[in-house]
Amino acid sequence: MEFDYLLDVINSHINLRETIDIEFKKGTGGFPGAFWETYSAFANTEGGLIVLGVSEKNGTFNIVGFDEDTIDKYKKDFWSSSHNKNTVNECLLTDSDVADVEVLGHRILVFRIPQAQRTQRPIYCGRDPYNGTYKRNYEGDYKCSKDEVQRMFADADVNRPADCRILKNFTIDDIDKASLDQFRRLFAVAKPDHPWLALEDIELLTMLGGYRVDRVSREEGFTLAGLLMFGRSQSIVDPECAPHFFPDYRLYSSDNPIGNERWIDRVYPDGTWEANLFQFYRRVLPKLTSVLPMPFQIDEDTRIDETSTHIALREALINLCIHADYTVNASLIISQYPHHIILSNPGALLISRWQYYRGGESVCRNLSLQKMFTMFGKAEKAGSGVGKILQGWSDQNWKRPYLRISNKPDKVELHLYLESILPNEHKQKLYKIFGKDCQHWEPDKLMVMALACTNAEISNENLQFILPSHRADITELLRRLKGEGLLESDGYGRGTRYHIPEHLIQRSVTPQTPEVDKATKNRITLGEIARPNRKTSEKSARHKRKTHEETKTAILNYTSGAYRTADEIAKYIGMTNTYAIRTFITPMVKESKLQKLYPQKSNHPFQKYTKAKD
C-alpha cells in the first residue's frame, strides 16, 4: 500500500495540517464516530486519507499512536461497522486500503478512502441519505442539502439520463423552427447520405432524443434535451423545463483583471436571439477561436483548414454544453481574457479528476445532447474529447489545461491558458543553468523547473494550476527534485516553497554579472543572468542609486497601461525577484498602487501587476 505522501509529510518534521484530502483524528477514546462523516465526505468528493492516532492542540498536530491491541481492535471495529447499513450504506475499501504504519516510534492507523463511482454515490451515514450525506471542501466536512443528494441519485441512474425527461404540455410551437432548419443543413453537410435527413421534424427529433415515448407509461412529448438544443428562449426557462438556464459568454479586455465585472462583448439571453444551446454554440465558437493562431474560415459551420487547437476549443465548448447539470441554480459561463479562457458549467464531475485527464471514458450526463452534437460532426462519443483538448494545447506548447472543481453549488471549471509553457526566454534560462540536456526531461519535471527558473519560488498549491496531478503526486515530484539536488525548500506544511539552489545559479553566472548586495541575503535569480552586458549593468546600477520613492515611481511608470510579471519588474528596477516582491510589489498592492491580474489568487503561478487606476 502506498503511504509515501503521509510518511514524507511526517518524517520531514512538517507541521501537520488538515487539508482537503487528509484528516487526522486522535482516536484514544475509542473508534471515533465522526470517522464516518469524513468517510462519506471523502467518498462523495475526491477521496482522501483518514489518520487515527494524531492529536491536535492549538493548531499543531502531534503523534500519539496506539499499542498493538488497540490497532487490532480498531481494524475489527472498522470492518464490522463498514458492512453495517446502520453505520454506512456501502463499504468502498479493501484490505490494501487499511494499514498501520510506524512513524517516529509510534504506530498509527491509516485509511485510504477512494472516490466513489458515479453509480455508488451518494455514500451516506445511517439509513437516511438526506440526513447523512457529506461532502468535503476547504472548510472540512459539510452535510449535503436535499437538492445535492437528489442530484447524486439522478447522476447515479445511468439508465435514465437527465436530459431524456419528458416535458408535459410542450408542443412544436415551443421549438425554434429556424434552429432546427439550420441543424438540418449542418447535418446534411456532415452526413449527406444519412437516412434521418428525409424524416419529418417530429420524427427527426425522436431519433435525436428530442422527442420520446415512454414504453411503460406510453407518455410522450418533447424532452429536456429537445428544448435545450432547439427551444425558444421563453419555453426553455419555463418552470417545467430548465428555469435556471442562462448561457453567458463574456469577453474581457487586456486591462481588466479576472474577477472584474467589466466586459467589452457579451452573448447572453437578452431577447435579441433564441437562446438555446445550438444558437449559443454557433455564436460563441467564432469568438473563442478568433484569438487562436492560424485562424480558419467557417462555411455553414464546416471546418476549413482548422488546427488541433481549434478542434480542442470546439470540444471544450461542446463539453460545457453536454456535461452541465441543468437542474442546478447556476449558469453556463465562458469568460475570455487575452491569455486565458475559463469555461464553467454547473454540476459535479461524474468521474475522478485522474480519469478525466487519462481520457478514453465516455461518461456523459446528457446523452441526447451529446448525440445531437455528434450528428452534425461536432462531438465525440468515445471519450476522446478531453484527449483532443490536451493534444491541441500540447501542440501549441501552451500551459496544460487545468480543471478546477468546487461545490456549494457544484461546479466544474476548465481553465485554458493561451500562454507558452516554455517560451524562448525561459528555455534560455533553463539551458543557462542545466545545459541543453534538460530538454529531454519528462514534461512535468520540465514544467516545474521552468516555473522555478522564472519565479522566485514555487509551491505545491500553485503547481496544481499547471499539472493535472493529485497534490500527493506533486509532492512526490517535488521530493524527487529535491533528492536530485535541483530544488531546495523553505517553510512548513502547505506553506512550503521551493527554489533553485544558489550554487546552481552561481555556477551559471557569467563574469560580467553584477554582484548582488549580500546584506540583503537574497538569492541571485535568473533576472540577474539576463543582464550580462555593460550597458544593462550600468542601467541596473542607476536603478540601484534611486531612492525608495523613486523606485516606486519607476515601477508605476513601467506598469502603467500594461500587466508585468514580478520577474519583469525586478529586471526593470535592477533587483532580485524576491527583494522586489517583498520590498516593493507586495507593499504597493496593499497600498492599492498596484493591481493584480488574478486578485483572488495570491499565489497564482501566472500573477501579473499593473498600475492601479486612480
Side-chain angles (χ1 to χ4, degrees), residues 19-20 28 57 116 131 269 284 304 333 384 389 472 506:
T19 70
I20 195 169
T28 54
K57 185 177 182 180
N131 193 43
V284 170
I304 302 176
I333 300 177
S384 62
I389 296 172
Q506 291 281 13

Side-chain angles (χ1 to χ4, degrees), residues 3 36 74 78 137 188 313 317 389 416 466 469 475 504:
F3 289 105
W36 298 106
Y74 281 4
F78 167 77
N137 60 19
L313 198 48
L317 175 57
I389 296 172
L416 301 173
I466 311 301
S469 305
T475 295
L504 294 179

Side-chain angles (χ1 to χ4, degrees), residues 248-282:
D248 193 355
Y249 163 86
R250 302 172 187 178
L251 174 65
Y252 294 88
S253 64
S254 58
D255 59 354
N256 281 319
I258 289 179
N260 194 304
E261 293 304 316
R262 289 173 295 176
W263 41 265
I264 60 176
D265 188 20
R266 191 177 182 189
V267 177
Y268 69 104
D270 61 354
T272 63
W273 57 290
E274 293 297 351
N276 53 48
L277 286 178
F278 181 73
Q279 296 296 343
F280 182 66
Y281 166 83
R282 286 175 54 80

Side-chain angles (χ1 to χ4, degrees), residues 13-44:
H13 304 285
I14 293 176
N15 289 338
L16 299 178
R17 295 179 59 185
E18 289 184 89
T19 70
I20 195 169
D21 62 353
I22 304 180
E23 174 138 339
F24 303 95
K25 299 182 184 297
K26 186 176 180 180
T28 54
F31 194 90
F35 175 97
W36 298 106
E37 295 177 3
T38 302
Y39 173 94
S40 167
F42 279 154
N44 292 323

Side-chain angles (χ1 to χ4, degrees), residues 164-221:
C164 78
R165 174 168 60 92
I166 296 175
L167 304 174
K168 297 180 179 180
N169 301 319
F170 282 74
T171 71
I172 192 66
D173 292 333
D174 294 300
I175 298 296
D176 176 42
K177 187 67 163 62
S179 294
L180 189 56
D181 288 345
Q182 290 170 3
F183 177 87
R184 277 185 178 275
R185 291 197 294 271
L186 298 181
F187 187 6
V189 171
K191 298 178 167 85
D193 299 323
H194 202 287
W196 293 1
L197 292 170
L199 300 176
E200 297 295 330
D201 286 349
I202 294 295
E203 294 174 313
L204 175 61
L205 286 169
T206 300
M207 300 306 293
L208 293 171
Y211 191 93
R212 189 170 73 86
V213 178
D214 190 293
R215 287 184 176 274
V216 177
S217 66
R218 305 311 299 171
E219 178 186 15
E220 65 178 271

Side-chain angles (χ1 to χ4, degrees), residues 92 136 164 247 260 296 435 452 483 490 508 525 535 595:
L92 301 175
R136 185 84 166 175
C164 78
N260 194 304
F296 65 99
D490 296 316
S508 66
T525 70
K535 182 178 179 180
Q595 173 175 294

Side-chain angles (χ1 to χ4, degrees), residues 12 38 138 168 193 210 251 259 276 282-283 299 307 342 374 437 439 444 452 477 497 550 560 595:
S12 297
T38 302
Y138 282 100
K168 297 180 179 180
D193 299 323
L251 174 65
N276 53 48
R282 286 175 54 80
R283 282 164 170 73
D299 181 14
T307 68
I342 306 173
T374 300
D437 286 345
Q439 62 187 311
D444 287 354
L477 175 59
R497 298 292 183 266
E550 288 174 336
S560 178
Q595 173 175 294

